[in-house]
Amino acid sequence: MHPYGLYLPTRLVFGENAIERLPELTKGFGKKVLIVTGGGSARRNGILGRARELLRDREIFELSGVEPNPRITTIRKGVEICKKEGIEWLLPIGGGSVIDSAKAIAAGAFYEGDAWDLVLDSSKIKKALPILVVLTNAAAGSEYDDSGVISCLETHEKLPFGSPLLAPAASVMDPAYTCTVPAKHTAAGAADIFSHTLEQYLVADGSILTDAMCEGMLRTVIECTRRVLKNPNDLDARGQLMMASSFGCCGLLSIGRTPSPWPCHAIEHELSAWHDITHGEGLAVITPHWMRWSLTEKTAPRLAQYGVRVFGLDPKAPAMENAGKAIEKTSGFFRSIGMPAALSELGVTDEHFEAMADHAVLHRPLLSTAFRPLDRGGILAILRASL
Amino acid sequence: MHPYGLYLPTRLVFGENAIERLPELTKGFGKKVLIVTGGGSARRNGILGRARELLRDREIFELSGVEPNPRITTIRKGVEICKKEGIEWLLPIGGGSVIDSAKAIAAGAFYEGDAWDLVLDSSKIKKALPILVVLTNAAAGSEYDDSGVISCLETHEKLPFGSPLLAPAASVMDPAYTCTVPAKHTAAGAADIFSHTLEQYLVADGSILTDAMCEGMLRTVIECTRRVLKNPNDLDARGQLMMASSFGCCGLLSIGRTPSPWPCHAIEHELSAWHDITHGEGLAVITPHWMRWSLTEKTAPRLAQYGVRVFGLDPKAPAMENAGKAIEKTSGFFRSIGMPAALSELGVTDEHFEAMADHAVLHRPLLSTAFRPLDRGGILAILRASL
């Protein structure tokens, strides 16, 4: 087994009306809070209103309109409010993009230069405001990890950043809050969870326990996404997807294994940086093509194990046969939940593929440790096959 | 899904020579440290010596001789040292009993009355010294939870206690440290992990993910215990057992389910309180009898699921048939790793069974929520069948 460290300081509070615990969970956080939200659903669904009521003894500031691929320009606005008003803590109400933004703002509030510096070099993060999350979408796992992803449109960059200082103090998770997420975004969130679980599972090695966790994550996403697309108010399935969201990126799935270079996420970030596509849709296209490109005699047994344990393939069939079937089952699953199968469906052309491959290789030095080691040529091959 | 809270503030540091990080991990902990150890293996194996070298700039005190079922008399000695010497933090080097003792001492150091009060009523724990764990046995999971179990010989009581204040700050886990654990105690530790995983898994409900985690835990214990009993220096298997140890009691296996009343642990604690037997051996005897007693038309499907997914039984066979087979496979596993099959092998007679059942019912109000609800009569039936 590989050496590992695991540190999960965020308190998860799951259940109906979990938001009612907001005052208790933020008791020591100070008076001035910045509430961060996205496109308006938190307001329409009454969650923002309830949070404001519960925090009526605090002084509340608001930053709304965080983009699905959150932009550094929005982070800068948030940082400015924090510095000007002396904000003491942050309350993101939303999914991954809103939480990621709160993390960048939390760090930027204590940084003298431009917040984009912190994305380019996370070691500059020395202090951060405390964060309490109210989760409204099961997807990115940002509610239970210490990192995020921010885009800069001018430079066509979408990059991850992180620091142990950015783990939320607590995340409040009421599955009912996800019932109003539109089908497309529910499915895109599920594709995100599915893809980042696969990226951690499909490495050179594993353990019985972490393999079982990944397989359980994948089966959860398959079964529960189908259930919620059929019945958006299926609270049990919504709750299971929320649990899968939380455990997807916190490190639990990859302890003791070869660290994953997250190749699909790396490629998708390049696509989003140029085309501002929906993260989960980009992943749903890229992931099966990455698997196909990665299939070799050496990687076939693990892909076959995935096919047997997640899709119930015949364990007696040859590994190469099962590996191929497992990849087909994967793209079949993505199609079955309404995800696109080609980048062209998302309006992507091959115009910037070379630039994307150059940038990915520059910013993701770990790609060479992938399941099948990835280089510039590999990235281009996957992008072209995905078109 | 049931509402849940999950809070895992302990930092896990796993790998070869992980102990070298001791100085860095305890930087802010103060000068005066009390090292807590058990029967002498930490000294013989050089771990204690290395810890003393690494902490040569600190003032070191020692409490050795913690019993396998740690006694309140030993805790009192530790508390006295803390109060007299102004101890600032605790360094347990050992397995569950040593870590549990450090937790009780950490709380007792700030309590004016007798430390046993804190075991009887954990709400009296208001403050605790920080704890850094060096783990030397894969078993109880105390390195990654916030509770412990202490015995009082005079009153024949072995009771759990706990507080979020007692979660270790960090746990250092080098699988090589467990290679010298004798076969009997390696197997007893494995039986402990197996039993407390089963107790959390065999409740009325589950989720795809937490079921998969439990099944992965159980398969880990079966395969890796066999491997280490054959080759005590199998570091990969030792590491996997250590990982299973950490995740056994931290709450992760039971989130979103009906809370488990830990019936086997409750009964085994009564046995240990009267007979001072090895915890894992007691559990290995009790667990299959608890399963047999719990088998009804209602509980059969989950027991059958366990049999199919952990022991590879035929999924097409009737649930009741598979449930029965799963129980036989369980006792077969325990026997195969050298665990006893009857309490009489441990020197236990039926003399105190009535007192044990009375005490268990008094101190474990949740037993009525068990898989098959447990009362005084049920406990007696399981004890008698186990004799």
Side-chain angles (χ1 to χ4, degrees):
Chain A
M1 286 215 304
H2 273 258
Y4 64 83
L6 186 69
Y7 182 48
L8 302 169
T10 301
R11 191 185 292 272
L12 295 182
V13 180
F14 172 93
E16 215 184 329
N17 299 318
I19 199 172
E20 301 302 315
R21 293 191 54 196
L22 208 48
E24 164 210 341
L25 290 167
T26 60
K27 215 180 243 173
F29 282 11
K31 199 169 169 60
K32 292 188 173 184
V33 51
L34 177 64
I35 298 182
V36 183
T37 56
S41 63
R43 185 180 304 274
R44 284 192 301 278
N45 298 332
I47 305 171
L48 178 62
R50 185 64 195 142
R52 293 190 71 108
E53 271 169 41
L54 287 164
L55 299 173
R56 55 187 165 265
D57 62 335
R58 316 289 175 102
E59 194 176 342
I60 297 173
F61 298 80
E62 259 191 62
L63 175 72
S64 59
V66 167
E67 306 82 6
N69 286 311
R71 299 177 188 175
I72 189 63
T73 44
T74 306
I75 306 307
R76 288 181 187 128
K77 277 186 216 162
V79 169
E80 201 187 314
I81 299 174
C82 288
K83 289 181 175 174
K84 190 177 154 208
E85 306 293 351
I87 297 294
E88 292 164 283
W89 61 284
L90 296 170
L91 178 69
I93 303 178
S97 60
V98 169
I99 306 168
D100 286 4
S101 299
K103 288 174 179 172
I105 295 167
F110 290 106
Y111 182 69
E112 290 212 358
D114 178 27
W116 186 246
D117 296 350
L118 306 177
V119 177
L120 290 174
D121 179 3
S122 294
S123 73
K124 291 182 175 164
I125 300 172
K126 303 291 184 200
K127 203 175 166 186
L129 292 170
I131 298 169
L132 189 129
V133 169
V134 176
L135 186 66
T136 64
N137 192 17
S142 191
E143 68 276 15
Y144 201 46
D145 72 19
D146 57 11
S147 60
V149 181
I150 299 294
S151 295
C152 178
L153 288 190
E154 296 77 44
T155 57
H156 297 294
E157 286 179 301
K158 178 178 175 180
L159 289 171
F161 66 101
S163 158
L165 296 165
L166 302 181
S171 287
V172 163
M173 308 194 296
D174 183 341
Y177 288 175
T178 65
C179 291
T180 51
V181 175
K184 175 186 147 165
H185 289 290
T186 295
D192 187 5
I193 303 173
F194 202 89
S195 177
H196 59 232
T197 302
L198 266 182
E199 288 182 276
Q200 292 172 85
Y201 179 71
L202 297 177
V203 293
D205 48 11
S207 72
I208 301 170
L209 180 54
T210 53
D211 277 5
M213 282 191 216
C214 290
E215 291 148 7
M217 290 278 295
L218 297 166
R219 291 198 306 264
T220 299
V221 174
I222 294 171
E223 184 182 318
C224 296
T225 308
R226 283 186 184 146
R227 279 168 57 189
V228 301
L229 290 179
K230 210 169 149 191
N231 172 14
N233 295 317
D234 182 336
L235 276 180
D236 177 76
R238 290 280 185 191
Q240 292 201 48
L241 285 174
M242 238 176 182
M243 190 192 282
S245 168
S246 301
F247 295 127
C249 301
C250 67
L252 208 50
L253 303 181
S254 56
I255 55 170
R257 305 171 182 274
T258 303
S260 168
W262 297 69
C264 299
H265 275 68
I267 297 174
E268 195 290 321
H269 290 171
E270 298 300 325
L271 287 165
S272 282
W274 285 90
H275 299 280
D276 202 16
I277 62 176
T278 299
H279 181 53
E281 291 190 323
L283 288 170
V285 175
I286 292 293
T287 303
H289 289 288
W290 164 66
M291 293 164 84
R292 235 166 252 131
W293 185 85
S294 300
L295 176 56
T296 63
E297 286 294 333
K298 205 174 142 196
T299 63
R302 183 158 270 269
L303 279 158
Q305 172 183 308
Y306 155 67
V308 169
R309 297 194 187 164
V310 175
F311 292 109
L313 299 182
D314 176 11
K316 292 186 197 84
M320 193 50 96
E321 184 186 319
N322 272 346
K325 279 188 188 167
I327 297 169
E328 292 319 305
K329 289 274 183 189
T330 308
S331 52
F333 164 66
F334 286 133
R335 277 196 308 275
S336 77
I337 62 169
M339 289 290 102
L343 291 177
S344 55
E345 294 177 46
L346 298 169
V348 173
T349 65
D350 63 1
E351 191 184 349
H352 305 294
F353 281 0
E354 303 264 347
M356 291 177 192
D358 288 337
H359 190 264
V361 170
L362 192 69
H363 283 271
R364 314 272 179 158
L366 283 175
L367 286 173
S368 61
T369 68
F371 198 33
R372 178 183 166 191
L374 254 176
D375 55 12
R376 187 179 185 283
I379 294 169
L380 273 176
I382 294 167
L383 280 168
R384 283 177 185 141
S386 305
L387 198 57
Chain B
M1 285 217 304
H2 273 256
Y4 64 82
L6 186 69
Y7 181 49
L8 302 169
T10 300
R11 189 184 294 270
L12 294 183
V13 180
F14 172 94
E16 216 183 330
N17 299 318
I19 199 171
E20 301 302 316
R21 292 191 52 197
L22 209 48
E24 163 208 343
L25 292 166
T26 61
K27 215 181 243 175
F29 282 11
K31 199 168 169 63
K32 291 187 175 186
V33 52
L34 177 64
I35 299 183
V36 183
T37 56
S41 62
R43 184 179 306 274
R44 283 192 302 277
N45 297 335
I47 306 171
L48 178 61
R50 186 63 195 142
R52 293 190 70 108
E53 271 169 42
L54 288 164
L55 298 173
R56 55 186 166 266
D57 62 335
R58 314 291 173 100
E59 194 176 340
I60 297 173
F61 298 80
E62 258 192 62
L63 174 73
S64 60
V66 167
E67 305 82 7
N69 286 309
R71 299 177 188 175
I72 189 63
T73 45
T74 305
I75 306 307
R76 287 182 188 127
K77 278 185 215 163
V79 169
E80 204 187 311
I81 299 173
C82 288
K83 289 182 176 174
K84 191 179 153 205
E85 307 291 351
I87 298 294
E88 292 165 283
W89 59 285
L90 296 170
L91 179 69
I93 303 178
S97 60
V98 168
I99 306 167
D100 286 4
S101 299
K103 288 174 178 171
I105 295 167
F110 289 106
Y111 182 68
E112 290 213 357
D114 178 29
W116 186 246
D117 296 351
L118 306 177
V119 177
L120 290 174
D121 179 3
S122 294
S123 73
K124 291 182 175 162
I125 300 171
K126 302 292 182 197
K127 202 175 167 187
L129 292 170
I131 298 170
L132 188 129
V133 169
V134 177
L135 186 65
T136 64
N137 192 17
S142 191
E143 69 276 14
Y144 202 46
D145 73 19
D146 58 10
S147 60
V149 181
I150 300 294
S151 295
C152 178
L153 288 190
E154 296 77 43
T155 57
H156 297 293
E157 285 179 300
K158 177 177 175 180
L159 290 170
F161 66 101
S163 158
L165 297 165
L166 302 181
S171 288
V172 162
M173 308 192 296
D174 182 341
Y177 287 175
T178 66
C179 291
T180 51
V181 175
K184 175 187 146 164
H185 289 290
T186 295
D192 187 6
I193 302 173
F194 202 88
S195 178
H196 59 234
T197 302
L198 267 183
E199 289 182 276
Q200 293 171 86
Y201 179 71
L202 297 177
V203 293
D205 48 10
S207 72
I208 300 170
L209 180 54
T210 54
D211 277 4
M213 281 190 216
C214 289
E215 292 148 7
M217 290 278 294
L218 297 166
R219 291 198 305 265
T220 299
V221 174
I222 293 171
E223 184 180 317
C224 296
T225 307
R226 283 188 186 145
R227 280 169 56 188
V228 300
L229 290 179
K230 211 169 149 190
N231 172 14
N233 296 317
D234 182 335
L235 275 180
D236 178 75
R238 291 280 184 189
Q240 292 202 48
L241 284 174
M242 238 175 180
M243 190 192 280
S245 169
S246 300
F247 295 128
C249 300
C250 67
L252 208 50
L253 304 182
S254 56
I255 55 169
R257 304 171 182 273
T258 303
S260 169
W262 297 69
C264 300
H265 275 68
I267 297 174
E268 195 289 321
H269 289 170
E270 298 300 326
L271 286 165
S272 283
W274 285 90
H275 299 280
D276 202 17
I277 61 177
T278 298
H279 181 54
E281 291 191 322
L283 289 170
V285 176
I286 292 292
T287 303
H289 289 288
W290 164 66
M291 293 165 84
R292 234 166 253 133
W293 185 85
S294 300
L295 176 55
T296 64
E297 286 295 332
K298 205 174 142 195
T299 62
R302 182 157 272 267
L303 279 158
Q305 172 182 309
Y306 156 65
V308 169
R309 298 194 188 164
V310 174
F311 292 108
L313 300 182
D314 176 11
K316 292 189 198 83
M320 192 50 92
E321 184 185 319
N322 271 346
K325 278 189 190 167
I327 297 170
E328 293 318 303
K329 289 274 185 192
T330 307
S331 52
F333 164 65
F334 286 133
R335 277 197 306 275
S336 77
I337 62 170
M339 289 289 103
L343 292 177
S344 54
E345 294 176 47
L346 298 169
V348 173
T349 64
D350 64 0
E351 193 184 349
H352 305 294
F353 281 1
E354 303 264 347
M356 291 176 192
D358 287 338
H359 191 264
V361 170
L362 193 69
H363 284 270
R364 314 274 180 156
L366 284 175
L367 286 173
S368 61
T369 68
F371 197 34
R372 178 183 166 191
L374 252 177
D375 54 11
R376 187 179 184 280
I379 293 169
L380 273 176
I382 294 167
L383 281 169
R384 286 180 183 139
S386 306
L387 196 57

